[in-house]
Amino acid sequence: MQTGQNDTINRIAKQYYKVSLWIIFGLTVIILLVMQYLQSTSLVNALVISAIFSLVSSIAYIQSWKSVARRAPKTLGKFYLAASALRMLAALLTVVVAMFILRRENSAMIGFAAMFVGFYIVMLAFDCIYFAQIEKKNNIM
């Protein structure tokens, strides 16, 4: 592999880390401010789970992307599809487990689901926009 291509991949990954971390941090702070304004702490656990899931899935996504971009850049299209499907399955599993744990508290279930879906959609939109721009600007192949 060429050194220039490796540098490009590392730069893209570093920028992804930075922006995704800021998005997760921003969403968390906004939700904490809303919770403080409403004087409600009932959804703190839901916020923690949503933020940690978003952070872990983003790290796993970009590490996998770096590996595929280095080893088989022509298969990145398949990677985007497979990684999105795996992230969706992991999110579904997380929601099912959380719903099972919160099954006795209807308001907590609804709040968790809304918060988790909000994080998921924001991060999904970020991934789509970010990698669409990357594919448009940089030809990694």
Side-chain angles (χ1 to χ4, degrees):
M1 172 181 288
Q2 301 165 343
T3 305
Q5 185 178 8
N6 202 19
D7 290 342
T8 301
I9 290 170
N10 287 334
R11 182 183 47 78
I12 290 168
K14 185 177 178 181
Q15 183 68 19
Y16 179 89
Y17 279 130
K18 199 182 323 180
V19 174
S20 65
L21 185 61
W22 276 109
I23 290 171
I24 294 166
F25 176 76
L27 286 172
T28 303
V29 168
I30 289 169
I31 292 170
L32 282 172
L33 290 173
V34 169
M35 287 171 55
Q36 183 177 5
Y37 177 76
L38 297 175
Q39 296 181 348
S40 172
T41 59
S42 63
L43 295 176
V44 170
N45 291 337
L47 177 61
V48 169
I49 292 168
S50 299
I52 289 174
F53 177 84
S54 296
L55 184 62
V56 169
S57 66
S58 293
I59 291 170
Y61 190 86
I62 196 61
Q63 287 297 328
S64 302
W65 180 86
K66 280 172 54 174
S67 178
V68 171
R70 285 187 180 128
R71 290 185 175 92
K74 293 183 184 211
T75 63
L76 278 173
K78 292 177 186 175
F79 166 78
Y80 295 131
L81 181 63
S84 294
L86 286 174
R87 181 184 281 188
M88 184 172 44
L89 288 174
L92 181 62
L93 180 64
T94 303
V95 168
V96 167
V97 169
M99 291 299 165
F100 181 73
I101 293 169
L102 299 171
R103 68 183 176 272
R104 303 218 192 288
E105 304 171 37
N106 285 341
S107 63
M109 286 173 60
I110 293 169
F112 170 76
M115 191 177 304
F116 191 86
V117 167
F119 267 86
Y120 183 82
I121 289 173
V122 168
M123 293 310 294
L124 182 65
F126 165 66
D127 286 345
C128 291
I129 293 167
Y130 185 82
F131 285 107
Q133 289 177 347
I134 295 303
E135 293 296 322
K136 188 176 180 182
K137 289 180 184 177
N138 297 322
N139 191 3
I140 296 175
M141 294 182 206

